[in-house]
Amino acid sequence: MPLRKAGANWVDGDRFFNREVELEMLAERARDGIHTLLTAPRRMGKTSLVRESLRRLSKDGEFETIFIDLEDASDPADAIAEIGAQSSSVKGIWDRLRSNFSNVLKEIGDRVDTIAVPQLQVQLRAGIAAGNQWRKGDEIFSALAECERPVIIGIDELPILVNRLLKKNGDAITQEGKQATDDFLSWLRKNAQKHRGRVIIILSGSVGLEPILKQAGLSAQVNIYTPFELKPWSEEIAVSCLAELADAYGLDLSFEVRKHMCHRLRHHVPHHIQKFFSHMHDYLLRKDRIKASLSDVDEVYKNEMLSVRGQVDLEHYQVRLRMILGMKEYQTALELLTEASVSNGVLSDRAIDKYRKYLEGTAHPDDSPIVLEDILYLLEHDGYLERQKDYYEFTSELIKDWWRARFGQHFVSLQ
């Protein structure tokens, strides 16, 4: 089947491109019973990789597989109900679920196929009361561990839930939030250890879990998960993806054009490659042409990728940063990234020292200190910047150019 445009969605099956090595590595870890923490900057394809891995391993008959999305979960009880609801499709689980949640599921009986997963999640959530959530969660994990085949649970957007727990919808981490987070992660850790080999967990998210836990002093909670870094495509793979897309849509993108598209991006994030192709496709349709030139690449990059229309997806980088850091730290991160964007993508150690002195000189005695190292750690971990010998630089040419266009117009550099 020809490769099709993915849009903003995750992909699997015929739309999944490359990553065969990563798929085999994940499968090997699953067979070894290793819990995995998948890390990568946004739009690198983490969700797609997990979903495609689960699809293949389930199809091969090696494992039962479950995918959980916790982006909308408000608390641990929501997460536990979501795990239970998604587990209902696993062979042999329903009778155990119905027994453990008899107070809310008795009317359904054997008619599990007639109820949608979101509705089931709501009913399971109604059966979880304060004080019994951990027991209910333990029962779900025990039921999964007793399945005929081992079960892989892909848990997406756990960092979003953790951040929500820590800050209770505010900007600052609270002691109550730390305790709630510690309790939840301890429960998940306990079950991951207890049922290792029978239940395998893969964690992922659109933001990094480690920087969030580092802020709260809870980093030890993820030491049972082996990190797995998903890297950008090589230029060779990115160029070949553009070739397959061009063939599928009847476009003439020469090798030089495809290579120039990759050079404009520099960092070959799969979603950005797809997005560039989509804009090029639309541009050529409007021009009633099928053949693209090098100048077309530059025009599409400038007038489409960096336009107001093209910025909707890129603004999510800014939104996620604001959500994780809180307003005060976010303002500092915003200044650091803008400093780099207007300085040819480079944030020097000298500029960082100037920011540190500036923050020390303007801080109110009652203010909690802003730790630049923690902000820089997050910016590096989540793929905004990468460390060189004595400076940081933007990882992605696209993000750098967008950031400069968005924030750099009236910015006065310290460098």
Side-chain angles (χ1 to χ4, degrees), residues 160-171:
I160 301 298
L161 173 57
V162 166
N163 187 69
R164 190 171 290 138
L165 288 175
L166 284 170
K167 299 174 182 177
K168 296 294 182 182
N169 300 318
D171 280 344

Side-chain angles (χ1 to χ4, degrees), residues 340-380:
S341 73
V342 301
S343 303
N344 200 30
V346 170
L347 178 66
S348 68
D349 288 349
R350 180 171 173 268
I352 293 171
D353 287 339
K354 287 185 176 181
Y355 269 97
R356 183 177 289 107
K357 292 175 182 177
Y358 168 76
L359 291 171
E360 291 171 353
T362 58
H364 189 276
D366 295 333
D367 287 345
S368 57
I370 294 176
V371 182
L372 281 181
E373 283 67 27
D374 287 350
I375 296 174
L376 290 167
Y377 172 74
L378 183 144
L379 294 177
E380 184 175 8

Side-chain angles (χ1 to χ4, degrees), residues 59-227:
K59 183 179 179 181
D60 292 344
E62 291 185 73
F63 298 91
E64 299 286 354
T65 62
I66 305 166
F67 185 82
I68 314 293
D69 186 346
L70 298 182
E71 183 168 5
D72 295 328
S74 299
D75 55 32
D78 282 351
I80 291 168
E82 183 66 25
I83 294 171
Q86 296 294 342
S87 299
S88 65
S89 62
V90 176
K91 184 179 179 181
I93 287 293
W94 178 245
D95 287 339
R96 297 185 182 94
L97 272 181
R98 191 173 56 180
S99 174
N100 295 338
F101 291 84
S102 58
N103 58 327
V104 291
L105 298 182
K106 60 183 178 182
E107 294 182 0
I108 298 177
D110 294 326
R111 297 179 292 105
V112 64
D113 292 339
T114 67
I115 184 170
V117 169
Q119 183 183 351
L120 181 57
Q121 193 273 345
V122 170
Q123 294 196 248
L124 291 176
R125 180 64 180 84
I128 300 175
N132 77 348
Q133 59 188 14
W134 309 128
R135 178 174 60 81
K136 291 293 188 182
D138 290 345
E139 290 168 351
I140 293 171
F141 267 93
S142 294
L144 291 171
E146 293 171 9
C147 289
E148 181 179 342
R149 295 185 291 182
V151 179
I152 306 175
I153 306 179
I155 303 180
D156 201 17
E157 298 298 15
L158 179 68
I160 301 298
L161 173 57
V162 166
N163 187 69
R164 190 171 290 138
L165 288 175
L166 284 170
K167 299 174 182 177
K168 296 294 182 182
N169 300 318
D171 280 344
I173 294 173
T174 67
Q175 282 302 123
E176 180 187 3
K178 285 180 64 173
Q179 187 61 58
T181 302
D182 196 28
D183 290 344
F184 174 58
L185 293 179
S186 294
W187 166 79
L188 191 61
R189 176 192 179 99
K190 178 193 73 174
N191 279 285
Q193 291 176 314
K194 179 180 180 180
H195 303 297
R196 182 169 179 172
R198 299 301 305 168
V199 179
I200 300 100
I201 296 175
I202 303 174
L203 301 179
S204 61
S206 58
V207 294
L209 181 60
E210 300 101 309
I212 298 172
L213 294 178
K214 187 174 185 291
Q215 291 180 60
L218 296 174
S219 297
Q221 285 289 8
V222 292
N223 62 14
I224 66 163
Y225 304 96
T226 302

